[in-house]
Each structure stands twice: as C-alpha cells, then as structure tokens.
Amino acid sequence: MVTGLLCKLHKNGSIWVYSELAPLSDKWRMLDNNPKTTAIAANEWGELYQLRNDGTIWKLTATPAIGWQMLDNNLTNTIIAGAIIPSISAEGLYQLRKDGTILAFTGIPMTGWLMLDSNPATIALAAGKKFYQLHNNGKIWEFTGTPMTGWQMLDNNPATVAIATNELGELYQLHNDGKIWEFTGTPMTGWQMLDSNPKTKAIITS
C-alpha cells in the first residue's frame, strides 16, 4: 500500500502521481507534460517540484498541467532535492548548481534562496532529517547549521560515488566496487558495511 506521495517522471517529461483510492485503470494521473522536465523532487508535506533543462525550477500549486509556479530560473541549476529540515528552511527545497553552489529555498520565488555552500567539488546532495553533500573526491559533509562554514566531514574515501539519507537521519554511501556503508555516528571511522556486490550501481532510502 502506498501511504505517501508517489510520483514518476517519464522520458518525455510527463509527470504522474499515483492514487491509491482510484480505480485500477486510473491510478496514475498526469500532473504535467513538458519535454524540458529532467528531474522531480518532493518533501514530507507532499509538495512536488520539477527541474527543467532550461534551469527553471517549478512547484505544483494546484491544478495539474497549468498549476505550476516558477521558483528559480538559472541555466546552471542541475539537481533538486526535497526535505523538511526546519533548522535550515521550512520550505523543503534545495538545489545544486554546476559551480557547486548549494541553495535552500526560503519562500520567495526567484529571490528567496539562501546559499549554504559554494564548492566546485560538490556533485550530489542528500536531504532528509539532516542535509549532506558529496564531493567528487569522495568526501561526505554534513551541514551543521551555519551557511558556508558549518559543514562537518564524515568520510573521505575516493571510492564513494553516491549518498542517501531519510527522515530518520540515517545516512548511507555507495562505493564504486558495490559496497554499501551505513554511518553509525562517528565521523571518519563510524561506518558499517551492509553489502558488497559489484553489480550495485545506486542506492535509495526512505
């Protein structure tokens, strides 16, 4: 049974939402159909966002297809992530730009973005109960509360290729050899291996 928001993005840019209560033949409802859409993200409040290949970021506000509000317009926007982290922003949306700039949405479209960091090494974000970034040299950093300077290194392993976190604050990393590690609480040394399968290429958690 699906208890939260479940959405999917098709190759043609169409966005669909799943309805548990709808008839079997009509459980997926289209929310938008734009070939420019490259990514979607949502947070715990059920708010849905999309990123387009022109760098615009949109939030679903009401009516499917036409009920989208533009929140940002920057060609360098590459990644969006959704999570309600009150210590950072109650709006629940974050973005990463090509130059490594990380921004948190503060509520005002176009201008309401708070810079959390700006490091060209940043390649990925993970948002849940806490907020993390991954650098291209394998370093994992946790945001501790102060923009730009409030980042604590949790690991430094060049084999790391992906990170994932959830609403419980659990943090995982994937190595390029397929090993999956869970953070147990101590920076640098507090990692427990959960699996070692060279076929693994991605991880997610909820």
Side-chain angles (χ1 to χ4, degrees):
M1 177 180 291
V2 177
T3 57
L5 179 69
L6 175 62
C7 296
K8 62 179 181 178
L9 172 64
H10 284 189
K11 293 179 180 179
N12 63 3
S14 59
I15 301 172
W16 302 76
V17 63
Y18 183 80
S19 175
E20 182 75 30
L21 301 179
L24 184 61
S25 60
D26 193 33
K27 286 191 176 295
W28 289 96
R29 181 168 58 102
M30 188 167 65
L31 299 179
D32 199 23
N33 187 15
N34 192 313
K36 294 182 179 181
T37 304
T38 59
I40 56 176
N43 59 38
E44 300 93 304
W45 290 346
E47 296 170 327
L48 178 64
Y49 307 91
Q50 63 167 289
L51 171 66
R52 295 178 182 172
N53 60 15
D54 57 5
T56 57
I57 298 173
W58 301 77
K59 176 182 179 179
L60 181 64
T61 57
T63 308
I66 61 173
W68 291 88
Q69 179 184 24
M70 187 190 300
L71 303 183
D72 197 32
N73 184 6
N74 190 306
L75 281 171
T76 66
N77 293 338
T78 59
I79 293 175
I80 55 175
I84 303 298
I85 311 175
S87 61
I88 304 177
S89 169
E91 296 300 321
L93 176 65
Y94 308 87
Q95 62 159 297
L96 172 66
R97 293 181 174 169
K98 289 180 181 178
D99 62 359
T101 299
I102 301 173
L103 299 159
F105 185 56
T106 59
I108 302 175
M110 312 306 289
T111 61
W113 292 91
L114 173 66
M115 186 184 298
L116 302 181
D117 199 24
S118 183
N119 191 315
T122 305
I123 58 172
L125 307 176
K129 182 179 181 179
K130 299 180 180 180
F131 191 67
Y132 307 91
Q133 62 169 296
L134 172 65
H135 286 186
N136 55 17
N137 55 10
K139 292 179 180 177
I140 301 173
W141 300 81
E142 177 186 344
F143 185 63
T144 58
T146 304
M148 309 305 292
T149 60
W151 292 90
Q152 180 182 18
M153 189 191 304
L154 301 183
D155 200 25
N156 181 11
N157 192 317
T160 305
V161 294
I163 54 176
T165 190
N166 55 33
E167 298 174 30
L168 301 177
E170 298 165 334
L171 175 64
Y172 306 90
Q173 62 169 293
L174 172 66
H175 287 186
N176 55 17
D177 58 2
K179 290 185 173 70
I180 299 173
W181 299 78
E182 179 182 7
F183 184 57
T184 58
T186 304
M188 312 306 291
T189 60
W191 292 91
Q192 177 183 10
M193 187 167 65
L194 302 181
D195 194 27
S196 179
N197 189 322
K199 296 181 179 179
T200 304
K201 67 175 185 178
I203 55 173
I204 59 171
T205 182
S206 63

